[in-house]
Amino acid sequence: MSQPPRDMETNAAERPLIAKPVASRPTSSSFRPFPELLSAIRPNTNGFKPDVCRPSPLVVAPQTADTSGAVIYGAAKDVVRFETKPITVYKPVAKVVSKSTLSLLANMGNLCVTHQDLPPKPETCGRNQTLEPTILRPQTFGSKFHHPNPSLENSKQSKAVDEAEPKALVTSPANIGRPSYDGYKWRKYGQKQAKGSEYPKSYYKCSHPNCPVKKMVERLFDGQIAEIVYKGEHNHPKPQPSNRGSSGQQHGSGSGSAQQEGLDECALAEPNNRLVISYNVGSATPDNPCRFSAVWEDGSKGVEAEDDDERRNKRRRSENPPAEAGDGWPEFRAVVQDSAEPDIEGTWIAVEEVRTEGREAQQPLAEICMLQMQGPEALR
DNA sequence: GACCTTTGACCGTGG
DNA sequence: TCCACGGTCAAAGGT
Ligand SMILES: [Zn+2]
């Protein structure tokens, strides 16, 4: 039989997207304030991985949101007229906790955690430190893992990132061994060990007949999803989960209302509780303002942020007052910040743990960062 | 039997 | 042209 064209890149529907539908805990060493994330990518947009950032103009536009937590580029039809290939960068940071958070978590129960001693906290990540695409890369875990191949250990990629190694890794058991919970059915069609990376990369196709959507999933050794790249748009509605809890549909089970409202949702698993984070950063429109909320699944605390002017284009920082204390779960607050770069539009939301006992400045408990930027050509 | 994952081989692309 | 690499195919086996 004649095979379909192997290269589906010509499919106009395919638009690369990096997304990560799980909440994350940035480390002190890996955490980079939003302006630094911007500055890191700003001078070298060509430095992105070629498979996710082609040298084509990107669009700064609202996007549709898969209600699962993976932001799907799709119906920016109102705005997308001047571009060829829109790319959305949704930057994850791996699931890592600071040492202080680690001890906190350790006190809470049987969290699956490994850790090493923390290095002195870097002052900041200098903008000329490295132009490695930290925006796109998952973090590596340095000497925690022994590279079977010494040459791999010396590879540029690992060396560049090992310097700022996180030291603790939190496993989210709900994510292990699953492609991700985005509501669609996927069939795995390949796996590769990416050169210079410890992470295996898995390739999935949407199982729906004639649906061209693919996704590439990079995992960490412990099975956590480090990065997801979606290609294409589904030409069918999301299949209804047959029954609850059976096969990967437990994502976002904390609140069905968020998905009904068209919010993306992800959760940060803790022992005996989950921090459910809902947001529509990537899909906000003037009619649907940027919203964000994070609540513990047991309802103990919550924090919300809403931006009623999606067209804001200059730096804005807003902090919500910390949630009430008293039930043993960390208090947190939301910090929202926008890009001030003219050709990079982005929103960064961090959930910061509120420390009250004079501890050092906390790192975000979780962060969500969406960057949309003009492509290299547009920058000239 | 349907559908999935695994895995080695194959192919296209780019340096 | 050669080679490394990423992405895909497809057979085999598992659930
Ligand atoms: Zn599909």
Side-chain angles (χ1 to χ4, degrees):
Chain A
M1 294 300 188
S2 64
Q3 291 180 348
R6 298 187 65 140
D7 186 3
M8 303 183 69
E9 307 299 323
T10 55
N11 186 338
E14 293 199 9
R15 299 181 177 95
L17 165 76
I18 295 179
K20 181 197 173 201
V22 294
S24 62
R25 287 180 175 276
T27 64
S28 60
S29 57
S30 66
F31 167 64
R32 306 180 72 178
F34 189 48
E36 293 183 10
L37 292 174
L38 292 173
S39 66
I41 62 171
R42 176 68 173 81
N44 187 17
T45 50
N46 283 319
F48 289 128
K49 290 196 283 189
D51 60 331
V52 296
C53 183
R54 309 218 165 85
S56 58
L58 314 185
V59 64
V60 177
Q63 295 163 353
T64 56
D66 181 358
T67 56
S68 65
V71 183
I72 299 296
Y73 182 88
K77 21 187 154 5
D78 297 339
V79 195
V80 183
R81 288 200 184 85
F82 44 88
E83 89 301 345
T84 55
K85 272 195 175 180
I87 298 177
T88 294
V89 177
Y90 178 77
K91 180 255 180 185
V93 186
K95 296 110 291 215
V96 175
V97 296
S98 66
K99 194 174 184 178
S100 54
T101 304
L102 179 68
S103 58
L104 176 70
L105 296 174
N107 289 334
M108 291 178 174
N110 56 345
L111 187 64
C112 176
V113 170
T114 59
H115 90 281
Q116 301 168 331
D117 291 337
L118 283 169
K121 181 182 175 181
E123 287 301 311
T124 52
C125 302
R127 54 190 306 154
N128 55 358
Q129 176 186 29
T130 172
L131 292 182
E132 280 294 302
T134 52
I135 290 298
L136 303 181
R137 274 187 190 287
Q139 292 154 1
T140 59
F141 295 90
S143 57
K144 177 166 122 51
F145 299 113
H146 296 286
H147 300 268
N149 180 356
S151 65
L152 179 63
E153 191 166 11
N154 293 332
S155 67
K156 286 176 294 194
Q157 288 91 340
S158 58
K159 188 168 58 180
V161 203
D162 283 354
E163 310 263 319
E165 269 325 311
K167 297 306 173 191
L169 174 62
V170 176
T171 299
S172 300
N175 284 335
I176 294 177
R178 301 188 185 283
S180 76
Y181 317 111
D182 53 15
Y184 292 93
K185 295 183 67 177
W186 300 94
R187 178 174 51 83
K188 190 175 185 178
Y189 66 89
Q191 177 170 324
K192 276 283 187 180
Q193 187 77 29
K195 181 80 168 22
S197 167
E198 308 97 292
Y199 315 131
K201 201 169 187 177
S202 300
Y203 300 88
Y204 296 88
K205 288 177 181 173
C206 179
S207 295
H208 192 274
N210 300 322
C211 179
V213 177
K214 299 173 187 174
K215 72 175 179 182
M216 285 162 281
V217 177
E218 259 186 66
R219 289 185 181 279
L220 308 183
F221 279 162
D222 65 351
Q224 290 181 94
I225 294 172
E227 180 179 290
I228 302 177
V229 178
Y230 285 88
K231 283 184 170 183
E233 299 171 32
H234 294 278
N235 53 16
H236 58 91
K238 193 176 292 187
Q240 292 292 328
S242 54
N243 42 30
R244 54 196 300 250
S246 60
S247 67
Q249 297 297 339
Q250 63 269 59
H251 165 79
S253 60
S255 74
S257 61
Q259 297 196 359
Q260 290 169 11
E261 294 173 26
L263 298 177
D264 292 328
E265 190 176 290
C266 57
L268 189 66
E270 302 289 341
N272 307 319
N273 205 354
R274 296 199 316 157
L275 180 62
V276 179
I277 302 168
S278 306
Y279 56 96
N280 66 339
V281 177
S283 59
T285 66
D287 291 336
N288 183 27
C290 183
R291 283 175 295 158
F292 170 86
S293 71
V295 295
W296 288 109
E297 196 168 50
D298 66 2
S300 55
K301 293 189 184 72
V303 63
E304 291 186 1
E306 176 161 346
D307 183 1
D308 57 1
D309 181 11
E310 176 61 15
R311 282 156 298 198
R312 72 222 176 281
N313 53 15
K314 294 304 168 194
R315 186 171 308 238
R316 173 182 60 85
R317 184 182 179 94
S318 67
E319 291 194 9
N320 286 39
E324 298 274 324
D327 54 12
W329 291 104
E331 305 168 58
F332 51 86
R333 62 185 173 185
V335 177
V336 183
Q337 189 168 346
D338 292 338
S339 166
E341 299 289 333
D343 45 15
I344 302 175
E345 179 163 301
T347 300
W348 173 84
I349 298 174
V351 182
E352 287 184 351
E353 188 174 332
V354 177
R355 303 301 180 88
T356 56
E357 297 173 22
R359 303 187 208 181
E360 70 227 42
Q362 69 278 4
Q363 300 303 323
L365 191 64
E367 65 175 358
I368 297 166
C369 180
M370 170 164 288
L371 300 176
Q372 300 168 306
M373 65 209 97
Q374 301 292 338
E377 283 113 0
L379 296 178
R380 296 202 186 100

